[in-house]
Amino acid sequence: MSSSNPGSPSATATSSSSASSFSSKAHSCIQALSSILSTVPSSVSSSSSLLHDPTVSSQISTLLRDPDSGSGDNNLCRWLYDTFHSPDPELKLVVLRFVPIVAGIYLSRIALRKSLAGFEAILLALYAHETTARDGQPISVNVPDLTQPSIYHEAKSSVKTQATELNLAVISPTLEPHGTMRSSRRARIVGVALELYYSKISQMPVSSKLEFCEFCDIWATGIQNKPSSSSSSKQKTILLPWELLQPSLRILGHCLLGAHKSKKLYEAASIATKSLYERSLHDIDAKAILATSSLLRLEKMALDPKLNVDHTEIDMSLAL
Amino acid sequence: MLCACSGEQFKFEDAPQSPESLATRDFSASGLSSRTGDWESKLEDVQVDEVESTLKEALSLNYEEARALLGRLEYQRGNFDAALQVFQGIDIKGLTPRMTTAIVERTRLRKSRSKADIIPPSVMSMHSVSLLLEAIFLKAKSLEELGHIKEAAKECKLILDVVEAALPNGMHEGIAEDCKLQEMFHRALELLPNLWIKIGYLNEAITAYRRALIKPWNLDSQRLASVQKNLAAILLYGGVETSLPPPLRVWGLTTPNCIEEAILLLLALMQKVAFGEIKWDAEIMDHLNFALSVSGHFELLAAHVEQVSPGIYERADRWYFLALCYAAAGQNEVALNLLKKVSSQSEAKREPDILALLLGAYISSQDPKHAHDGITFARYVIDLEDEMNGHFKAQAHKFLGICYGNAARISISDSERALFQKESLSSLNYAAFNMKEDPEVMFNLSLENAVQRNLDLAFDNAMKYSSVVAENSGRGWKLLALILSADRRFKDAETILEFASDEASGSDQFELLRLKAVLQIAQERPKQAIETYSILLSQIQAQREAQSNNSGHAKSSHTENIAERNMEMAVWQDLATVYTKFGSWPDAEICLNKAKSIEFYSPKSWHTTGLLFEAQSLYKEALVSFSVSLSIEPDYVPSIVSTAAVLIKLGGQSLPVARSFLMNALRLDPTNHDAWMNLGLIAKMEGSLQLAADYFQAAYELKLSAPVEAFT
């Protein structure tokens, strides 16, 4: 169990005045969950323990993977939906922890034409939350103008200036409110849920990120080799438009090159990135080829000991 | 200490210490210091004061120095526990203010020392400060080795605090060349963020990196670059959003987010590479590649690839890389030109790059005008003597099939067209056999069969496509509806469109709605069609209003704007046709004016205008309109056929001219049943009844399998 910075002061700031109301919310939430799961350990008593308890998350994951999960009357989906609407931000994190598996299974099951209203309700709730939080506004990335000095560099006059229009790019377009899922909106709605997940990724447990890598690989290859699924292993092609790939690549970049300590996560991310690269070659998707191939090269360089000299290692010949 | 004028000012810190000083002894023993040999010569009278003061100071400091040296010895032996114990005996907290003072005094004096300045004897020597800083640093390293990372970070931070308190503006040209203080400080700068990262305190790590970068600390350019690169990497992949504190937001605009800060660092690094200040580093390029890719700055990425100095990439690799950037930025023409270079003769010596060739084939398949380039690219891949890449070869057959289909549609020779169509189907069938589940193959197999009026095969493949693609696309539904319309199954086509337009959005939805209206017209339900059109117009209007509310981001929806304008124009043209057909001349005219106000030079608008005149028996005006249409687009088949039809009505000497118009139309579009029909009329007027019957028969059969609108 390790979120990237569990003890970091900035990660645990919770206003104390609302803490008591939050803890009662957490309590009723855990009670509701105990009627769905077979066992909820007594140690699970707060939002934070709910987020990090491995027995709870593995039970929820197993239930979500059930072939009949995700329908409109599914208790667990209902619970995730309600929990996300709790005012306690930590309880929202508990729901976000399951975004990879919900999005993963949802996209893999579209072709089966089963009712997935339970999953859709959760994803739409995440989408609506983000729409409100951003007031529908797009998120763009400004490339700084190097002709202006910054804290990191001095301006050099002879540098070729880029046209200003090159400097702004929208990475997440305007969000329109959507109350229902449509196939044409699906990728965007799931993509926004992944954006939300990415924004909290430093607080997500490794097991959740591992699930993301697992599903990323399934989306890319269409092959499901988990023994838990009894159905056929090869699935129908899942389209991977950029609005879905873009947030996925950022999450994958974190799993592959982020400063965490999980070897398992590095390996899972490496497999998923390779699969996505192969897939992007097959689709001849230039954007995805550029992003995935750079990740693979960076991974290779990160593993090359020649390129990783520790400058702080004391070289005794230089000592006083 | 009065040696300022002696030219030795940079070495004053190294003035000999008391012979009792362990530090001095250690120096001479190790023999590694720069303070070798000639120090005796420096021992001038003026330095006696200093020696004296050091001696006095030494009474209290020797103990600390001794510990520092002993600790280092233990550390060097790998006895981190013992080293730590020794270091813990030093009262670092108590000494830090004096260390700071010492740095202030001695660096200030070095810069602007006059003979009158006297260093108070209580001020530590620079050497002592260095020794103590090293002790703190080694204490941090020992703690790190023992797994007490957080404590290590605290010790490490202490070094920075001491030096930064003394030098609030950084050190521009260094404190002194042979002073180990600077080296210890630099190592602490580099170690601190690493320690925070080790225990997952990424926010603290980012702060530590920024601290190392925002003031000049005289790090050599390669090490500075390495810190910048590491900060960029943690900002890109760390997954924490730590915006710059307000005082640091120097480069204007709004709050820079992590990815923007990372891009700034990487761009600054690329600039250093360009100016030769640091050596080429593939990692910087790949971080930048990733950052600009996920943020959609593909043109900027291309600009940076272009600036990479020659020799870094092989030429063909560079062209492929650039082509990917331009293709990702939507600049297919530029990408295609680069890819042609890859496959050109000059690169024949090199192993041809199958990925570049496939990209070329793929881009060419997107636009009929590049059909022949696409055929060249795809053939290149297929002809490679390479058994390993069977999958890529199947891909190449797919693009070959698509490009042959496109080539057939722009071909002006009947025999050539027939050949291309045959090649298209055989390539696509080959691809389908080798890539059974590939949706693109199925879609194009359906489309090509539809164009060649093999409606059953077209239908089967369209159905396969929609069952394979979990997410159904608008174009799939549209094709299916058109195939059904060609089969006279209007009701089924409409049902599909109803369902599809519920699922679709944006311009896809507009196209499906318009097709629904066209189907309604085909079924002689003009009132319903007009209703559908008005719904469509109001939806276009609504989308336009929504867009104007977000005017700041118009760039991303530029192509959508064009599609929207074209759609609106098509609606007015369709409505004009409906009103013309039912004799509402004024309404038809209003609609045409609307269409022309959107785009004056549209061949279809002028063709429809001609039809309106023709319906009013204003044949001369009709002919003028058709010829305007043809002057805009000489191969616009409907206007060619309509011109012929009017000429037939005028009769007499016009008939041979009409026939030559029709033959031209059929050369361009052999399935045009109106042209066959009119040819039949001419033959009948000329008394060739058998020929007329044949023409009418052809027209009848073609009309039976004609979609309500062209498939492509």
Side-chain angles (χ1 to χ4, degrees):
Chain A
M1 278 331 298
S2 65
S3 88
S4 297
N5 49 357
S8 165
S10 52
T12 49
T14 316
S15 128
S16 57
S17 61
S18 51
S20 61
S21 87
F22 284 167
S23 90
S24 74
K25 287 274 184 342
H27 188 69
S28 61
C29 204
I30 291 163
Q31 279 215 314
L33 185 63
S34 60
S35 69
I36 301 169
L37 303 184
S38 51
T39 48
V40 174
S42 54
S43 59
V44 174
S45 57
S46 65
S47 330
S48 166
S49 55
L50 195 54
L51 177 62
H52 290 286
D53 186 274
T55 49
V56 168
S57 42
S58 80
Q59 283 181 79
I60 295 180
S61 297
T62 309
L63 285 178
L64 287 173
R65 285 169 197 267
D66 187 278
D68 294 320
S69 66
S71 65
D73 55 2
N74 182 283
N75 284 338
L76 186 55
C77 289
R78 182 90 235 169
W79 181 83
L80 287 166
Y81 180 88
D82 291 340
T83 305
F84 187 72
H85 286 99
S86 145
D88 179 354
E90 289 231 30
L91 283 176
K92 285 193 176 18
L93 289 183
V94 174
V95 180
L96 285 179
R97 186 243 166 270
F98 295 101
V99 161
I101 198 162
V102 168
I105 294 187
Y106 174 66
L107 289 184
S108 316
R109 282 200 195 149
I110 298 301
L112 305 178
R113 309 200 195 288
K114 279 182 60 171
S115 167
L116 298 167
F119 287 152
E120 288 180 346
I122 298 167
L123 293 165
L124 282 165
L126 299 176
Y127 180 85
H129 172 83
E130 186 68 0
T131 307
T132 317
R134 272 162 56 178
D135 193 20
Q137 291 303 305
I139 297 176
S140 47
V141 166
N142 275 296
V143 170
D145 179 2
L146 278 203
T147 57
Q148 303 295 316
S150 78
I151 51 169
Y152 296 131
H153 84 294
E154 287 161 29
K156 291 202 168 92
S157 53
S158 56
V159 173
K160 200 180 110 194
T161 50
Q162 306 290 344
T164 37
E165 60 175 311
L166 286 183
N167 293 341
L168 183 80
V170 174
I171 54 167
S172 176
T174 312
L175 295 175
E176 285 163 35
H178 291 319
T180 55
M181 192 69 91
R182 282 187 189 177
S183 64
S184 55
R185 294 171 186 161
R186 189 173 287 134
R188 179 71 181 133
I189 290 169
V190 176
V192 169
L194 292 175
E195 281 175 19
L196 192 55
Y197 177 76
Y198 180 72
S199 72
K200 303 285 179 218
I201 199 158
S202 62
Q203 285 148 278
M204 291 294 126
V206 168
S207 52
S208 168
K209 299 176 196 174
L210 279 169
E211 283 164 0
F212 175 81
C213 294
E214 176 202 333
F215 279 102
C216 211
D217 187 56
I218 292 172
W219 295 344
T221 59
I223 298 166
Q224 197 159 7
N225 40 20
K226 275 267 159 183
S228 60
S229 100
S230 52
S231 56
S232 68
S233 61
K234 175 83 181 160
Q235 299 185 326
K236 291 184 178 177
T237 312
I238 295 165
L239 293 188
L240 296 178
W242 188 241
E243 50 200 350
L244 196 60
L245 270 180
Q246 192 258 5
S248 300
L249 286 165
R250 295 193 75 187
I251 299 169
L252 215 48
H254 166 82
C255 297
L256 189 69
L257 301 165
H260 56 79
K261 291 267 119 27
S262 169
K263 192 161 177 276
K264 234 174 136 184
L265 182 54
Y266 284 124
E267 284 165 2
S270 174
I271 292 169
T273 311
K274 281 194 190 87
S275 299
L276 267 188
Y277 173 66
E278 300 283 323
R279 171 69 186 267
S280 60
L281 284 185
H282 177 273
D283 292 352
I284 314 193
D285 178 344
K287 293 177 181 181
I289 294 173
L290 285 169
T292 49
S293 63
S294 61
L295 283 181
L296 289 178
R297 283 191 300 269
L298 286 165
E299 185 206 6
K300 210 171 146 200
M301 287 186 260
L303 295 175
D304 185 348
K306 272 184 293 181
L307 297 169
N308 291 284
V309 184
D310 180 1
H311 293 290
T312 67
E313 207 43 63
I314 284 290
D315 174 359
M316 281 309 162
S317 65
L318 280 174
L320 280 166
Chain B
M1 188 75 205
L2 297 165
C3 64
C5 49
S6 69
E8 293 179 18
Q9 65 221 50
F10 290 106
K11 296 193 171 169
F12 78 96
E13 304 89 341
D14 298 326
Q17 309 295 306
S18 136
E20 283 83 17
S21 164
L22 281 165
T24 318
R25 225 180 286 155
D26 183 72
F27 263 114
S28 15
S30 73
L32 289 165
S33 161
S34 58
R35 306 174 69 245
T36 45
D38 66 340
W39 62 269
E40 268 167 307
S41 65
K42 290 185 229 158
L43 195 62
E44 294 164 18
D45 289 1
V46 282
Q47 289 176 312
V48 172
D49 284 348
E50 162 104 348
V51 175
E52 249 179 48
S53 69
T54 311
L55 271 171
K56 284 177 201 155
E57 198 186 0
L59 294 174
S60 61
L61 257 185
N62 268 349
Y63 169 78
E64 313 290 351
E65 288 187 357
R67 287 213 158 241
L69 293 168
L70 189 60
R72 186 212 295 167
L73 217 61
E74 295 290 357
Y75 179 86
Q76 279 171 317
R77 288 183 189 144
N79 301 333
F80 303 119
D81 255 327
L84 189 59
Q85 272 191 357
V86 175
F87 288 133
Q88 273 164 346
I90 305 175
D91 173 25
I92 293 169
K93 280 266 151 57
L95 288 168
T96 49
R98 290 182 60 205
M99 291 161 75
T100 301
T101 315
I103 301 170
V104 173
E105 287 295 318
R106 297 194 181 267
T107 52
R108 180 174 59 82
L109 289 174
R110 176 164 68 86
K111 279 176 199 149
S112 59
R113 193 164 34 157
S114 70
K115 295 199 175 189
D117 277 320
I118 298 166
I119 307 169
S122 61
V123 172
M124 268 186 220
S125 74
M126 214 55 155
H127 180 256
S128 300
V129 176
S130 301
L131 202 56
L132 285 171
L133 285 182
E134 188 199 44
I136 308 174
F137 183 77
L138 291 181
K139 186 179 174 187
K141 291 292 278 187
S142 304
L143 282 163
E144 184 192 6
E145 295 287 352
L146 296 169
H148 305 301
I149 313 285
K150 202 168 174 182
E151 288 76 10
K154 280 182 188 155
E155 295 297 331
C156 197
K157 190 168 170 291
L158 203 59
I159 300 176
L160 307 190
D161 291 342
V162 166
V163 177
E164 206 172 352
L167 305 164
N169 296 316
M171 39 177 138
H172 281 276
E173 69 282 359
I175 304 178
E177 274 135 36
D178 52 357
C179 178
K180 290 294 174 272
L181 181 150
Q182 180 177 299
E183 183 55 28
M184 280 308 128
F185 175 68
H186 284 169
R187 287 186 184 178
L189 273 182
E190 291 166 326
L191 178 62
L192 184 58
N194 287 353
L195 292 173
W196 288 130
I197 288 171
K198 268 199 173 162
I199 44 172
Y201 281 44
L202 300 192
N203 289 311
E204 284 75 4
I206 291 171
T207 309
Y209 276 128
R210 286 174 181 155
R211 189 173 182 181
L213 292 172
I214 54 183
K215 284 181 191 169
W217 291 122
N218 201 34
L219 268 170
D220 83 61
S221 49
Q222 210 63 50
R223 281 168 82 179
L224 181 70
S226 167
V227 175
Q228 288 183 319
K229 186 173 75 175
N230 291 341
L231 174 56
I234 199 166
L235 288 168
L236 275 179
Y237 314 109
V240 288
E241 194 61 51
T242 321
S243 56
L244 276 172
L248 299 183
R249 289 176 203 156
V250 180
W251 76 90
L253 295 171
T254 50
T255 338
N257 56 35
C258 277
I259 193 166
E260 287 169 334
E261 193 180 340
I263 291 173
L264 170 71
L265 284 159
L266 294 166
L267 290 179
L269 284 166
M270 288 300 282
Q271 195 178 64
K272 287 183 186 177
V273 173
F275 280 91
E277 291 167 21
I278 55 171
K279 52 182 198 281
W280 164 258
D281 181 349
E283 232 180 321
I284 297 173
M285 186 68 209
D286 278 314
H287 285 310
L288 187 67
N289 183 348
F290 181 75
L292 293 181
S293 297
V294 293
S295 62
H297 289 282
F298 295 103
E299 277 174 72
L300 194 64
L301 180 56
H304 281 279
V305 180
E306 304 241 27
Q307 280 169 27
V308 171
S309 39
I312 300 289
Y313 298 114
E314 283 201 37
R315 274 207 305 173
D317 291 343
R318 184 198 192 98
W319 287 331
Y320 176 56
F321 194 173
L322 274 173
L324 282 172
C325 297
Y326 285 115
Q331 296 191 29
N332 284 350
E333 304 284 323
V334 186
L336 211 49
N337 283 332
L338 287 159
L339 293 166
K340 282 183 198 164
K341 289 191 192 177
V342 180
S343 63
S344 72
Q345 293 297 318
S346 65
E347 296 300 304
K349 279 167 278 168
R350 195 176 177 273
E351 188 90 339
D353 187 344
I354 202 163
L355 296 178
L357 296 170
L358 270 182
L359 179 63
Y362 167 74
I363 295 174
S364 306
S365 74
Q366 307 289 299
D367 187 337
K369 75 169 179 276
H370 298 307
H372 292 280
D373 291 330
I375 291 168
T376 312
F377 279 120
R379 281 252 170 256
Y380 206 140
V381 176
I382 292 163
D383 294 343
L384 288 177
E385 284 174 27
D386 174 5
E387 299 305 313
M388 298 298 287
N389 290 309
H391 173 74
F392 289 135
K393 295 212 171 188
Q395 289 264 64
H397 276 101
K398 169 169 81 180
F399 299 127
L400 186 64
I402 298 171
C403 289
Y404 267 127
N406 286 337
R409 287 187 266 298
I410 55 168
S411 170
I412 47 166
S413 140
D414 219 5
S415 58
E416 192 186 60
R417 183 185 308 109
L419 177 73
F420 288 165
Q421 287 188 333
K422 198 170 137 249
E423 288 286 339
S424 172
L425 276 184
S426 76
S427 302
L428 286 170
N429 279 318
Y430 179 91
F433 184 76
N434 288 286
M435 306 193 288
K436 294 203 163 51
E437 296 274 282
D438 191 276
E440 278 302 295
V441 175
M442 289 170 190
F443 178 84
N444 283 288
L445 206 47
S446 171
L447 177 65
E448 198 51 45
N449 273 305
V451 168
Q452 299 184 31
R453 302 285 168 92
N454 306 322
L455 294 184
D456 288 344
L457 280 172
F459 180 77
D460 288 348
N461 279 295
M463 289 303 283
K464 267 192 219 160
Y465 172 74
S466 58
S467 70
V468 165
V469 178
E471 302 282 284
N472 244 306
S473 65
R475 65 172 191 163
W477 294 122
K478 194 180 158 191
L479 179 59
L480 197 55
L482 285 173
I483 293 168
L484 287 168
S485 82
D487 215 11
R488 310 283 103 178
R489 290 160 65 183
F490 295 123
K491 276 271 166 282
D492 291 346
E494 245 188 294
T495 312
I496 291 222
L497 290 177
E498 299 260 343
F499 167 73
S501 61
D502 277 349
E503 288 289 303
S505 58
S507 54
D508 264 351
Q509 195 177 26
F510 296 160
E511 284 207 32
L512 294 169
L513 259 180
R514 178 173 166 260
L515 193 54
K516 184 176 159 188
V518 172
L519 274 170
Q520 286 164 336
I521 295 171
Q523 295 170 84
E524 308 282 336
R525 288 171 10 220
K527 268 195 180 158
Q528 282 181 17
I530 290 169
E531 253 169 54
T532 309
Y533 281 123
S534 64
I535 292 170
L536 179 49
L537 283 172
S538 63
Q539 285 189 3
I540 294 173
Q541 190 57 37
Q543 178 167 312
R544 193 166 292 159
E545 274 162 20
Q547 275 166 355
S548 66
N549 292 338
N550 301 296
S551 50
H553 300 274
K555 195 190 157 201
S556 61
S557 57
H558 179 66
T559 45
E560 216 160 70
N561 284 341
I562 292 175
E564 192 184 273
R565 271 167 55 93
N566 287 342
M567 178 52 67
E568 193 185 347
M569 181 169 73
V571 170
W572 292 120
Q573 290 164 343
D574 287 358
L575 281 170
T577 313
V578 176
Y579 287 127
T580 303
K581 206 169 164 189
F582 294 94
S584 320
W585 318 133
D587 288 332
E589 211 177 320
I590 290 168
C591 293
L592 279 170
N593 287 337
K594 292 253 191 196
K596 284 179 193 165
S597 72
I598 294 168
E599 168 60 61
F600 190 73
Y601 298 102
S602 153
K604 190 173 179 188
S605 290
W606 286 100
H607 176 243
T608 314
T609 307
L611 293 180
L612 176 59
F613 283 127
E614 190 187 344
Q616 298 170 79
S617 306
L618 300 167
Y619 297 126
K620 222 170 153 186
E621 287 82 351
L623 281 178
V624 170
S625 294
F626 294 140
S627 75
V628 172
S629 168
L630 288 171
S631 67
I632 298 166
E633 193 182 316
D635 288 343
Y636 189 67
V637 174
S639 289
I640 301 175
V641 176
S642 294
T643 304
V646 173
L647 290 173
I648 292 167
K649 280 185 185 143
L650 296 173
Q653 287 164 334
S654 310
L655 287 184
V657 186
R659 183 188 292 110
S660 104
F661 267 102
L662 291 171
M663 296 310 281
N664 190 28
L666 286 175
R667 188 176 56 82
L668 294 164
D669 177 12
T671 58
N672 191 303
H673 54 84
D674 281 334
W676 288 105
M677 171 76 183
N678 281 301
L679 270 183
L681 286 175
I682 294 175
K684 193 178 157 200
M685 286 165 88
E686 290 175 341
S688 314
L689 292 185
Q690 184 55 47
L691 194 59
D694 286 349
Y695 287 151
F696 288 141
Q697 178 75 22
Y700 174 74
E701 277 172 19
L702 283 169
K703 194 172 180 187
L704 270 189
S705 62
V708 286
E709 205 172 54
F711 288 113
T712 52

